[in-house]
Amino acid sequence: MGDISVGMQTPLATTRADLPSLMPFMPHPIQTLKFAVLAGDYIGPEVMAEALRVLKHVAQLENFALDATAADVGGAGIDHHGKALPDSTVKLCEQSDAILFGSVGGPKWEKLPPKEQPERAALLPLRKHFTLFANLRPGLLYRELTDASPLKRERIPDGIDIVCIRELTGGVYFGLPKETKTLPDGDIQAVDTMVYKKSEIERILQVAITTARARKKKLCSVDKANVLETSVLWRKTVTDYCAKHTPDLALTHMYVDNAAMQLARDPNQFDVFVTENMFGDILSDEMAVICGSLGMLSSASLGAGKNSLGLPFGLYEPAGGTAPDIAGQGIANPCAQILSAALMLRYSFGLEKTAQRIEAAVRQAVTSGTRTGDIAFGKPSVGTRAMADAVIANLG
Ligand code: NAD
């Protein structure tokens, strides 16, 4: 798998000594980017290797160093350490400023009890351990790729460019009680509990506001305030907070069922939308479908804590899974992983211009015709490595 050895913690450092001596000097606020590399399973390591190549190139171009260390997670964690999230992996993450994550799971581990399955036993505990409460998912479809979307071209003539912000550590996925029990009459009852505190709503709202301010200053809050108590609190909290702190933003509210329809009807009516955990889970998957291939979609999960640079600690991963159906063939699209690395530079390392540079290189590579099979629409396609080569060629 390219530069990474799965099965041990492996330094992948690009040191200053590796840099060409005649490189033009570019002052940089950060000397070394220290992050954990958790590639995971199936296509995870394949696309991760390419994202790391892109990062190494950009580090050379901009004169900073990478201190990236790989560790097992998911199925690889189960196979090598007996659990999906080995203690050594958690420790490495604690010592890093960010996590670049691939994806975990697949048929090899499907027969394990649900609690031991890679996704549940690795990703959820990671989110909890680092209080990764804010999930940012750009819904981006380039104009040149509108054929990848199931939506009619006339609905998205210029592609799609929206952002979903999902609360990730609260709501019904974590609320207690959460149990299944047999009732005295022999029937069986299962309970999940949806809980939100005002402080949790304000915390995710602040991320949404920052994101909306950097874009079109439009924010839509999605809830189900006509039915759910948590949504009533959600809507009141959002309304009060924005009235007090953000008169510059155009704030709207939408019920989640309507939001699901509007996403399919006219996605670009949204610019940034913010919503609670389960609604965000569902809407962000719908967003992934209308944006064409999962191979193009990145995500960032930002933590409540700060890293050693005083910036948000975060986990950055593609929106898709491990794609076992195409793993091992060298044909997976690495763009989602590369774009996730760009998000890491933006949020956890404060390198906005470098992030934009990578995003522009991906756009340029794809729109000028280099395509993996998932976005080729029957035209000739390239493999994972050649796709990354095209991105690297466009970095300059
Ligand atoms: P998937 O996202 O892996 O694949 C769905 C479809 O999208 C497949 O046809 C696949 O080939 C394609 N696809 C996904 N990423 C691609 C890429 N980079 N390039 C080209 N095509 C790509 O979803 P699935 O098949 O339902 O799940 C497979 C495994 O991944 C399961 O074990 C699931 O639990 C796991 N999963 C993990 C994560 C995660 O780690 N965050 C997320 C979702 C699914």
Side-chain angles (χ1 to χ4, degrees):
M1 55 164 288
D3 291 342
I4 313 170
S5 308
V6 171
M8 60 175 122
Q9 293 190 2
T10 314
L12 293 160
T14 303
T15 63
R16 292 195 158 255
D18 295 330
L19 301 172
S21 53
L22 291 177
M23 191 182 316
F25 177 70
M26 287 174 63
H28 219 282
I30 296 173
Q31 304 292 306
T32 302
L33 274 49
K34 187 173 170 55
F35 58 97
V37 177
L38 311 189
D41 310 314
Y42 291 95
I43 67 161
E46 299 172 31
V47 292
M48 183 65 84
E50 301 310 324
L52 290 171
R53 262 193 333 119
V54 171
L55 281 176
K56 281 182 185 171
H57 271 79
V58 89
Q60 289 194 341
L61 287 170
E62 300 198 4
N63 201 16
F64 58 82
L66 305 179
D67 178 359
T69 306
D72 287 329
V73 73
I78 294 169
D79 288 354
H80 298 134
H81 308 264
K83 59 180 182 173
L85 186 61
D87 297 343
S88 54
T89 299
V90 176
K91 198 165 170 210
L92 170 72
C93 296
E94 286 171 349
Q95 292 163 350
S96 304
D97 286 324
I99 304 169
L100 190 58
F101 196 91
S103 44
V104 293
K108 189 172 174 199
W109 304 282
E110 258 167 27
K111 294 215 164 64
L112 288 173
K115 277 188 181 159
E116 293 170 31
Q117 299 263 337
E119 256 189 285
R120 187 155 161 191
L123 257 180
L124 293 188
L126 265 179
R127 283 178 191 159
K128 201 162 183 188
H129 186 78
F130 291 103
T131 323
L132 301 174
F133 71 95
N135 184 228
L136 281 73
R137 279 228 215 167
L140 187 61
L141 175 70
Y142 305 142
R143 186 162 43 85
E144 292 81 354
L145 291 185
T146 46
D147 285 344
S149 173
L151 297 189
K152 288 192 183 125
R153 187 186 275 255
E154 55 264 33
R155 293 198 185 275
I156 45 169
D158 295 319
I160 299 172
D161 184 3
I162 60 180
V163 179
C164 167
I165 298 188
R166 166 188 169 194
E167 204 289 328
L168 206 55
T169 51
V172 74
Y173 293 174
F174 292 96
L176 295 173
K178 188 182 210 38
E179 63 185 13
T180 305
K181 63 180 177 191
T182 304
L183 300 174
D185 65 1
D187 204 351
I188 300 173
Q189 176 177 282
V191 181
D192 294 291
T193 308
M194 191 182 252
V195 193
Y196 268 108
K197 289 191 281 195
K198 184 180 168 194
S199 55
E200 290 173 310
I201 301 167
E202 288 186 344
R203 185 170 68 170
I204 188 73
L205 183 59
Q206 284 159 10
V207 175
I209 288 168
T210 307
T211 310
R213 278 193 169 138
R215 291 173 52 98
K216 293 184 184 163
K217 297 187 171 20
K218 271 174 65 180
L219 178 63
C220 179
S221 171
V222 175
D223 62 39
K224 190 71 183 162
N226 50 345
V227 177
L228 297 174
E229 281 298 310
T230 44
S231 280
V232 172
L233 177 66
W234 183 280
R235 190 172 285 218
K236 179 168 170 26
T237 305
V238 171
T239 306
D240 292 352
Y241 190 94
C242 287
K244 193 164 169 197
H245 299 284
T246 61
D248 55 319
L249 283 192
L251 172 70
T252 52
H253 300 273
M254 198 179 279
Y255 295 136
V256 62
D257 39 355
N258 187 23
M261 285 193 291
Q262 296 303 328
L263 263 180
R265 205 181 62 80
D266 175 17
N268 288 312
Q269 71 180 278
F270 299 99
D271 189 56
V272 178
F273 67 91
V274 59
T275 191
E276 67 89 49
N277 201 345
M278 182 171 63
F279 299 162
D281 191 2
I282 297 165
L283 292 180
S284 60
D285 271 19
E286 182 185 350
M287 197 177 75
V289 170
I290 62 171
C291 286
S293 175
L294 281 170
M296 294 299 299
L297 295 178
S298 57
S299 82
S301 299
L302 304 183
K306 300 274 187 253
N307 62 22
S308 73
L309 307 163
L311 292 165
F313 181 88
L315 180 149
Y316 302 85
E317 60 173 331
T322 57
D325 52 333
I326 56 166
Q329 302 173 40
I331 58 171
N333 186 346
C335 291
Q337 189 74 64
I338 295 169
L339 292 169
S340 301
L343 292 178
M344 177 178 80
L345 299 189
R346 170 172 294 129
Y347 293 111
S348 285
F349 295 106
L351 298 176
E352 175 62 33
K353 289 223 165 86
T354 317
Q356 285 180 16
R357 182 179 197 161
I358 295 173
E359 288 164 351
V362 172
R363 179 185 282 265
Q364 185 61 29
V366 170
T367 58
S368 63
T370 310
R371 312 267 173 89
T372 41
D374 55 313
I375 50 174
F377 319 121
K379 297 208 179 103
S381 58
V382 301
T384 310
R385 191 171 173 86
M387 186 73 234
D389 283 342
V391 174
I392 289 167
N394 282 292
L395 280 174

